[in-house]
Amino acid sequence: MDVIELLPRLHLLRFPVGQAYLWRDGDELTLIDAGPAGSGAPVAEAVTALGRRPRDVRRIVLTHFHEDHAGGAGEFAALSGAEVLVHRLDAPVVRGEVPGPCPVFEDWERPLHEQALKLLPRGDFARPQEVTEVSGGDVLDVGGGAHVVHVPGHTHGSIALHLPEHGVLFTGDTVAASPVDGTVMPGVFNLDGAQVLAACRRLAELDADMACFGHGDPVRGRAARALRNATRR
C-alpha cells in the first residue's frame, strides 16, 4: 500500500484496487473509505507510520458498499474503535443483510471488471459490528463541516463528501481519473450511467479546488473545471 501526502492534513492510501483517504483535524483522524478486505492492518500501520495511533481514527466514512472501498471497514473498525458511517441505502449491504445489486455493465467494462476482481481477496469480509446511517444534506464534524452529498448512480447509496472550508471534495467512484493519462471522467461499473453523469454535473457545481477519487490520481487544483469538462466528453 502506498501512502501519499496531498496536503499536510490529507494523505492518500493506495491499494492494488482502489484507494482511501486519511484526513486530520488536530488529534482526530477520519478515514474516507477503507480499502478491500485485509486492509485493516496495513491502514493501522500507515496511521502509526504517520505518528498517530489507530484509535485516533474516530470515524470511517464509506462512499459506497463495493468491497474495494468497504471490505476493510470492519477489520479496521475492530482495531481502532472507529465509527463506520454509510448512506442509509447502502447500509444494509455493508451490514451483510442483503446482497448488493450488480452493476449494469457496458460491453467494454466487462474485461476491466474481470481484471479488477483478480486483484481482490476472495470470499466474504469482516462486517462492521455497528453502522451509522447518513443521508444527503448531513454535515459531519470533519474539516470544519463535511457536507454529505447523495450521488446515486454508481450505487443507490453512493455519497460524496465536500469540505467547503478547505475546497476538498471526495467523490468516491462517481468520478475517476484514467490511469493512463489522468483524464477525469465519470466512474464505471454503475447501476445507472445517466444518474452518474447528472451527479458529476452536480459535484462540479460545488466549485472544489481539489477532487479526490476512488480510482486515479486526485486533481490538486481547479478541480471543478476538470469535473465540468468530464461531463462534456
Side-chain angles (χ1 to χ4, degrees):
M1 182 183 70
D2 297 326
V3 181
I4 302 166
E5 182 178 298
L6 302 177
L7 296 170
R9 60 169 60 192
L10 175 62
H11 288 78
L12 181 156
L13 311 181
R14 180 165 285 156
F15 306 98
V17 178
Q19 48 209 28
Y21 296 89
L22 192 66
W23 177 268
R24 178 178 58 82
D25 288 307
D27 294 332
E28 185 174 295
L29 301 175
T30 297
L31 184 66
I32 297 96
D33 287 327
S39 298
V43 170
E45 291 169 4
V47 170
T48 302
L50 292 171
R52 315 299 304 187
R53 300 164 297 181
R55 68 172 179 266
D56 293 333
V57 181
R58 302 297 174 82
R59 65 191 65 79
I60 304 165
V61 182
L62 299 178
T63 60
H64 61 292
F65 73 78
H66 286 161
E67 61 187 286
D68 54 328
H69 294 259
E75 182 183 353
F76 184 73
L79 289 171
S80 63
E83 178 185 20
V84 178
L85 297 89
V86 65
H87 192 273
R88 59 181 181 81
L89 296 180
D90 276 12
V93 184
V94 172
R95 288 192 293 258
E97 297 168 357
V98 298
C102 294
V104 179
F105 292 109
E106 302 287 343
D107 288 342
W108 61 269
E109 291 179 321
R110 294 183 185 278
L112 297 178
H113 188 254
E114 291 173 1
Q115 292 173 15
L117 287 179
K118 292 177 182 177
L119 298 174
L120 292 174
R122 297 292 184 181
D124 200 7
F125 49 85
R127 304 283 179 173
Q129 292 187 352
E130 295 184 9
V131 169
T132 299
E133 297 184 7
V134 300
S135 298
D138 290 351
V139 180
L140 309 181
D141 189 17
V142 178
H147 294 246
V148 176
V149 185
H150 184 208
V151 283
H154 185 64
T155 67
H156 295 309
S158 285
I159 61 170
L161 202 63
H162 181 216
L163 280 59
E165 184 175 313
H166 302 277
V168 176
L169 175 67
F170 301 96
T171 71
D173 281 1
T174 297
V175 190
S178 167
V180 177
D181 59 8
T183 299
V184 178
M185 58 189 183
V188 296
F189 312 155
N190 303 309
L191 292 176
D192 189 319
Q195 279 192 326
V196 167
L197 189 59
C200 289
R201 294 191 178 105
R202 182 180 177 196
L203 294 180
E205 294 173 355
L206 298 176
D207 202 28
D209 190 54
M210 176 181 287
C212 299
F213 311 126
H215 299 269
D217 291 336
V219 174
R220 302 196 190 202
R222 306 181 75 175
R225 183 177 69 171
L227 293 176
R228 286 192 292 270
N229 290 339
T231 65
R232 297 172 182 149
R233 293 188 177 90

